[in-house]
Amino acid sequence: MLTAKTKILCIIGHPIDHSLSVIMHNAAIQKIELDYRYIAFNVFPNDLSNAIDGLKSLNIKGASITIPHKISVMKYLDIIEPMAEMIGAINTIKNEDGILIGRNTDGEGFLKSVKESGYNIKNKKVVLFGAGGAARACAFYLAKEVDKITIINRSDARMNDLISKLNSNYSISIKGINLSKKEEIKKEIADSDMLVNTTPVGMYPKVNVSPVNPLWLHPNLFVVDLIYSPIHTKLLQDASSIGCNVLSGVGMLINQGIIAFEWWTGFSPDKKLMKQVVIAELEKLK
Ligand SMILES: NC(=O)c1ccc[n+]([C@@H]2O[C@H](COP(=O)([O-])OP(=O)(O)OC[C@H]3O[C@@H](n4cnc5c(N)ncnc54)[C@H](OP(=O)(O)O)[C@@H]3O)[C@@H](O)[C@H]2O)c1
């Protein structure tokens, strides 16, 4: 029951109508009978500063931050966790007695989902498509364990920025290839163990496209797509059809949410239930 003591968690983004976090977190809250509610706020970029002030004045205990605010919100926070500072973006805020702390659970959630799949990333060579916010979060966590990361991106500026940030923090081999250099990409994939798509190419509703030419794939690749809508993207279907092991973005979505939930409430949510409600919602889009 909602009472005057009920604690509020929220998600701030724009647009926000299709967020799965509301369903996922409220299902978890209800299951363990916590006196919390998780709600969505559609906040325009111009209103972000006021909305973040509102977290303090309304004593909102925690917030998920999504597109387009993951970077711009950082300047309004009191503390940024070191890994989020390195990544240059946050997706979660905790309100600790009026002090707003920013953290990035995307990379942690990604790495956890890869490990849960049973794939051993130690010393592997990884090709990463994209150099945006999600790519940065994943790359910083991958770089702790793999031997080599090759970033493939449409624009050189974002790619070079990510490469230089990775190089100043890790000593593994990091290189970049522009998306237009097809032959180079093909060779790089042939020599790699794992391929990760962090671009939105293939995301609902444009589901019939893939960021990777299917002819570049080989059966020894472990292929991960951060996209969760659809669950089985064209890239994952192409990869499965030639015998690759594949992983969708659903696991990352659930895990980043679980890490946030535990941080805010101190309780472990029911992961199976969270996955079940998210998948049920995604199935409705078919
Ligand atoms: N599973 C999860 O929990 C989870 C979490 C976070 C994000 N994601 C997914 O990850 C994807 C990216 O999110 P983001 O926050 O990183 O977005 P972002 O910051 O906007 O970055 C997008 C990246 O994709 C590239 N890109 C965009 N459109 C492209 C196209 N048509 N062809 C080639 N490259 C293109 C961009 O290249 P340029 O640099 O050249 O613009 C950029 O590198 C989204 O699909 C999102 O849903 C999933």
Side-chain angles (χ1 to χ4, degrees), residues 81-140:
E81 291 216 327
M83 196 61 168
E85 191 78 66
M86 272 205 278
I87 292 166
I90 68 117
N91 70 338
T92 311
I93 297 172
K94 184 179 185 186
N95 181 355
E96 266 189 19
D97 302 323
I99 307 291
L100 299 184
I101 308 165
R103 174 170 173 180
N104 193 316
T105 67
D106 277 340
E108 286 175 84
F110 164 77
L111 196 62
K112 203 164 172 218
S113 73
V114 168
K115 290 186 173 176
E116 281 170 354
S117 77
Y119 187 71
N120 181 5
I121 62 166
K122 278 260 179 281
N123 309 118
K124 294 293 195 295
K125 294 181 200 161
V126 183
V127 174
L128 190 91
F129 279 77
R136 295 167 82 104
C138 295
F140 272 87

Side-chain angles (χ1 to χ4, degrees), residues 39-57:
I39 55 181
F41 291 121
N42 183 13
V43 174
F44 286 80
N46 283 349
D47 292 328
L48 185 62
S49 153
N50 288 335
I52 299 303
D53 278 349
L55 295 179
K56 288 188 186 184
S57 44

